[in-house]
């Protein structure tokens, strides 16, 4: 799978010790979209979780391991080169996330990731 280098135009909107809001898009040339689906590329759920965990690792200094994925909803399809805003919040071993459009009109996905007890 690709790495976070497929992200383009990344801009941090707000950052604290336990949260971050950032705007980005995923290049249409990213292999995240390969085969999913020909003629109508969309970002697979596994790629969304991978990107979120890459940001968790980068901004919170936490290992990229999951114990559980809870209450995750994939509401709208994420297409290549679409501007996205990612909200991440860390509370102990819980990471809450949501991916929305910059104008807050479209919710793409939201959920909770549980980190292992030992990180």
């Amino acid at each position: 799978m690709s790495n976070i280098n497929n992200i383009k135009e990344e801009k941090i909107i707000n950052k604290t010790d336990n949260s971050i809001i950032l705007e980005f898009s995923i290049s249409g040339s990213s292999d995240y979209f390969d085969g999913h689906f020909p003629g109508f590329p969309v970002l697979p759920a596994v790629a969304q979780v991978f990107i979120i965990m890459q940001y968790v690792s980068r901004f919170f200094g936490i290992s990229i391991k999951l114990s559980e994925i809870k209450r995750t909803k994939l509401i709208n399809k994420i297409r290549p080169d679409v501007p996205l805003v990612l909200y991440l919040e860390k509370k102990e071993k819980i990471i809450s996330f949501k991916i929305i459009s910059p104008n807050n009109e479209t919710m793409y996905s939201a959920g909770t990731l549980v980190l292992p007890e030992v990180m």
Side-chain angles (χ1 to χ4, degrees), residues 68-102:
E68 188 176 351
I69 299 174
K70 291 180 136 181
R71 297 183 303 262
T72 298
K73 294 182 182 182
L74 305 172
I75 302 157
N76 287 293
K77 295 172 180 71
I78 297 176
R79 304 267 296 142
D81 302 305
V82 171
L84 304 167
V85 176
L86 172 62
Y87 290 77
L88 286 176
E89 184 175 11
K90 178 186 173 296
K91 290 183 181 174
E92 299 176 13
K93 65 176 190 156
I94 304 294
I95 303 288
S96 298
F97 72 90
K98 70 178 176 178
I99 301 174
I100 63 170
S101 62

Side-chain angles (χ1 to χ4, degrees), residues 9-66:
E9 301 176 19
E10 179 184 287
K11 175 184 170 188
I12 295 173
I13 297 170
N14 189 25
K15 182 179 182 321
T16 68
D17 288 344
N18 295 312
S19 68
I20 186 159
I21 303 168
L22 56 101
E23 188 171 344
F24 67 98
S25 62
I26 303 164
S27 171
S29 64
S30 168
D31 60 351
Y32 289 141
F33 298 106
D34 286 354
H36 206 265
F37 295 95
F40 190 80
V42 296
L43 188 66
V46 68
Q48 290 181 49
V49 172
F50 181 77
I51 290 167
I52 289 163
M53 291 310 298
Q54 291 287 315
Y55 279 126
V56 166
S57 176
R58 181 170 152 198
F59 291 112
F60 300 138
I62 297 171
S63 172
I64 307 171
K65 294 180 182 174
L66 285 177

